[in-house]
């Protein structure tokens, strides 16, 4: 029994070191290279501000992150509003007014909503362009059999729709990772 003890101790030590290394390993490069959702929202605001006519009134109707994650949707909406206002080229419709209009129309962004409904909300808010979008789970990045850690990625899609013509004026799409604040709702977005 004592002859096998050093072998057992060595095997156990190697197993523990390997286990600890896999738990403490940094995220894979492909995950690190993904844009943080905040940076993506800032890029989208820059794109919309540069491609839409200066002074255009926009209404951000919502960004759907699923019915189980309304806090995520609210955060994304607030951040995009902030970035658009900071750009200073577009006029952003008052969110309180938009919320009242949506409530009056009994409008929920979760699920499939037609462009006509979105246009109607924009028109009632006095907007020329309506921005709406979604954040959806895409896949796990860099997962392997040696790691118990998964790194989720998401697709952020935003669309600017002309209220009068119903045409898509511009669109933004990016694969993103969540910031630390949004990570607490990660499971709800994936569903």
């Amino acid at each position: 029994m004592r002859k096998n003890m050093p072998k057992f101790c060595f095997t156990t030590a190697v197993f523990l070191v390997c286990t600890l290394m896999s738990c403490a390993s940094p995220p894979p490069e492909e995950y690190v290279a993904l844009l943080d959702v905040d940076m993506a929202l800032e890029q989208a605001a820059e794109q919309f501000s540069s491609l839409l006519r200066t002074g255009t009134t926009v209404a951000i109707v919502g960004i759907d992150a699923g019915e189980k994650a309304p806090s995520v949707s609210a955060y994304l909406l607030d951040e995009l509003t902030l970035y658009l206002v900071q750009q200073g080229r577009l006029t952003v419709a008052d969110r309180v007014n938009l919320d009242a209009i949506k409530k009056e129309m009994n409008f929920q962004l979760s699920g499939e909503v037609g462009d006509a409904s979105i246009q109607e909300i924009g028109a009632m808010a006095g907007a020329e362009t309506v921005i709406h979008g979604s954040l959806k789970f895409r896949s796990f990045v860099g997962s392997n059999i040696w790691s118990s850690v998964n790194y989720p990625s998401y697709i952020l899609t935003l669309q600017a729709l002309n209220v009068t013509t119903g045409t898509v004026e511009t669109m933004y799409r990016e694969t993103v990772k969540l910031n630390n604040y949004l990570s607490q709702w990660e499971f709800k977005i994936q569903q």
Side-chain angles (χ1 to χ4, degrees):
M1 180 84 169
R2 289 191 174 221
K3 274 186 181 178
N4 291 335
M5 189 61 116
K7 241 186 210 181
F8 174 76
C9 288
F10 176 76
T11 305
T12 303
V14 168
F15 175 76
L16 286 173
V17 167
C18 289
T19 301
L20 289 173
M21 285 179 61
S22 71
C23 292
S25 63
E29 282 183 39
E30 58 192 305
Y31 180 76
V32 173
L34 291 176
L35 269 186
D36 177 275
V37 69
D38 289 311
M39 289 191 289
L41 289 168
E42 189 170 8
Q43 276 188 1
E46 288 172 8
Q47 176 183 317
F48 290 162
S49 294
S50 67
L51 295 177
L52 297 173
R53 184 181 44 78
T54 299
T56 298
T57 300
V58 298
I60 307 169
V61 175
I63 302 172
D64 180 22
E67 60 187 44
K68 293 183 179 181
S71 296
V72 175
S73 295
Y75 175 87
L76 297 172
L77 185 88
D78 287 344
E79 293 302 299
L80 182 59
T81 301
L82 172 70
Y83 293 132
L84 284 170
V85 169
Q86 286 177 341
Q87 289 289 317
R89 295 186 199 126
L90 304 173
T91 303
V92 181
D94 180 31
R95 183 157 167 213
V96 173
N97 187 28
L98 273 173
D99 289 342
I101 292 168
K102 288 194 283 187
K103 193 173 191 175
E104 183 181 317
M105 292 180 62
N106 197 21
F107 178 82
Q108 295 248 329
L109 193 59
S110 58
E112 290 296 315
V113 177
D115 287 348
S117 297
I118 292 170
Q119 284 175 262
E120 186 178 352
I121 290 171
M124 289 176 74
E128 301 162 78
T129 300
V130 175
I131 297 173
H132 66 103
S134 65
L135 179 71
K136 295 182 179 175
F137 175 74
R138 180 177 180 248
S139 65
F140 289 107
V141 177
S143 299
N144 61 50
I145 61 170
W146 304 108
S147 174
S148 61
V149 180
N150 290 314
Y151 299 95
S153 65
Y154 300 85
I155 297 286
L156 174 67
T157 305
L158 299 168
Q159 187 178 66
L161 187 69
N162 184 294
V163 170
T164 307
T165 64
T167 58
V168 176
E169 294 183 292
T170 185
M171 195 167 172
Y172 178 88
R173 180 175 292 160
E174 184 68 50
T175 301
V176 299
K177 60 185 171 187
L178 300 182
N179 60 24
N180 290 336
Y181 175 72
L182 291 178
S183 293
Q184 62 188 314
W185 289 289
E186 179 180 304
F187 177 71
K188 292 184 178 187
I189 298 171
Q190 293 177 30
Q191 304 238 336

